[in-house]
Amino acid sequence: MNRKFLILLATITISFFGIAYFSSKETSYLLLDASELAANPAKYSEKNLRVRGFVKLGSLVREGKKAKFDLELNDRTIPVYFTGETLLPDAFKEGARARVDGNLENGVLVASHVEAKCASKYEAGYKEE
């Protein structure tokens, strides 16, 4: 009876570690700046990426729910194709800080999720006295 219990306990433990390992590979993202990704795109081709940068002025092209734009930081840019699986946030516009989640395919970051950061939206408006 003791041996059966140990085998059952070992099976359950191995199952939990297997589930944790394989699920973390699908949901974990590597956080990068747009300049890091643009400098060495081949290094990140098989990974889930979360890339930060600014939407380059003049690069945003909306196509229904989909969009194309360039993400830039430190004078380096990476082209982004947003698939439209989720909605673009209201604060998303040219020049805004953005964080993009996706995978690199043929030098283009194919994004399924975009977040826009708008710090000025949350700052208090003070009048000069």
Side-chain angles (χ1 to χ4, degrees), residues 72-116:
E72 72 175 348
L73 190 66
N74 298 333
D75 296 326
R76 293 195 175 189
T77 62
I78 189 80
V80 179
Y81 174 73
F82 176 65
T83 61
E85 291 178 24
T86 59
L87 294 176
L88 285 171
D90 292 337
F92 183 77
K93 59 184 177 181
E94 293 181 350
R97 286 178 44 196
R99 190 182 80 193
V100 178
D101 296 346
N103 298 310
L104 198 61
E105 297 178 12
N106 299 323
V108 176
L109 183 60
V110 179
S112 57
H113 182 76
V114 174
E115 285 187 20

Side-chain angles (χ1 to χ4, degrees), residues 6-113:
L6 290 176
I7 291 172
L8 178 63
L9 185 62
T11 303
I12 291 171
T13 304
I14 290 170
S15 298
F16 279 131
F17 280 113
I19 290 169
Y21 174 74
F22 289 112
S23 66
S24 70
K25 287 186 81 163
E26 292 179 11
T27 59
S28 62
Y29 289 90
L30 180 62
L31 182 62
L32 295 170
D33 289 331
S35 58
E36 291 176 79
L37 182 58
N40 194 358
K43 182 178 176 182
Y44 305 107
S45 63
E46 297 292 322
K47 299 180 181 179
N48 290 331
L49 302 173
R50 181 165 282 166
V51 183
R52 299 179 296 194
F54 292 89
V55 180
K56 186 175 182 179
L57 296 174
S59 70
L60 179 59
V61 177
R62 293 179 186 247
E63 301 167 345
K65 289 184 177 181
K66 301 175 183 181
K68 293 179 184 178
F69 58 93
D70 290 336
L71 204 59
E72 72 175 348
L73 190 66
N74 298 333
D75 296 326
R76 293 195 175 189
T77 62
I78 189 80
V80 179
Y81 174 73
F82 176 65
T83 61
E85 291 178 24
T86 59
L87 294 176
L88 285 171
D90 292 337
F92 183 77
K93 59 184 177 181
E94 293 181 350
R97 286 178 44 196
R99 190 182 80 193
V100 178
D101 296 346
N103 298 310
L104 198 61
E105 297 178 12
N106 299 323
V108 176
L109 183 60
V110 179
S112 57
H113 182 76

